[in-house]
Structure formats: C-alpha cells, structure tokens
Amino acid sequence: MADETDSDLVAGERRADLLRALSYVSTESQPDGSYVVNGDLPPDVAPPFIRAIMRVEAELLLHDAELVTVEDGEPRTPEERRTDAFVALVLRVDDRH
C-alpha cells in the first residue's frame, strides 16, 4: 500500500494526523547504542497512528511471508517487524518529494 508522495494520505491516514501523533513520540538512547521509542498519545490522537502502523506492518508481513524458508524460518520477529513498520511510517510521513 504505497501512497502517492503528493497525497495527503500516508498508510491510509491523513498526514497531518500522523504528524500530530509523532509530536508525542520521543527517543531515548541506551548505553548499548540502541534506542527506546516512547510515546504517550492522547486517546483522540492514537487511533490513526495505530491504524497506519498496522497497515505498514501488514505490508511487511506479506513481504516476509514470501521469504520464509525451511532452513531460515521467518526473516524477522514480530517485534522487529513492528519496529521496522514504525521506521517505515516515519519515513513515509516525512517523504514529500
């Protein structure tokens, strides 16, 4: 479900709604070099963000299904897929070119 780059929609949700939701998200670096993403979204802000993340995650799941093998199993864990979906969504929200 790739969106048109000039569209007001990203992953089926209004870009403005997703930008508002992202304003409640912060990152915190950890001693091991990893990051923790924190977000306390108000109830009126969360639904579009959650739906968009789920849609992107579904795209990734369908892609991953094609990569499953007997030898290697699934290419990533559900947690990795959710993280990748978050990053992909942020990049799409920011992609206006």
Side-chain angles (χ1 to χ4, degrees):
M1 171 194 290
D3 298 301
E4 298 290 326
T5 55
D6 60 349
S7 172
D8 189 44
L9 297 180
V10 178
E13 300 296 332
R14 290 180 14 162
R15 185 182 308 272
D17 292 341
L18 297 175
L19 285 168
R20 181 172 177 222
L22 285 170
S23 73
Y24 291 93
V25 175
S26 64
T27 58
E28 182 180 325
S29 63
Q30 300 298 298
D32 65 358
S34 65
Y35 285 86
V36 173
V37 177
N38 299 305
D40 189 14
L41 281 64
D44 64 318
V45 174
F49 186 73
I50 293 168
R51 288 191 301 262
I53 287 280
M54 291 176 75
R55 288 183 185 113
V56 175
E57 189 175 4
E59 290 175 23
L60 297 178
L61 182 61
L62 290 172
H63 178 265
D64 286 357
E66 299 301 320
L67 302 176
V68 172
T69 65
V70 172
E71 296 83 25
D72 297 328
E74 289 190 49
R76 58 185 142 194
T77 67
E79 293 81 14
E80 291 169 330
R81 190 167 27 256
R82 175 63 58 100
T83 300
D84 291 347
F86 171 78
V87 171
L89 180 62
V90 169
L91 291 172
R92 290 181 190 184
V93 167
D94 190 48
D95 184 21
R96 294 181 186 223
H97 302 115

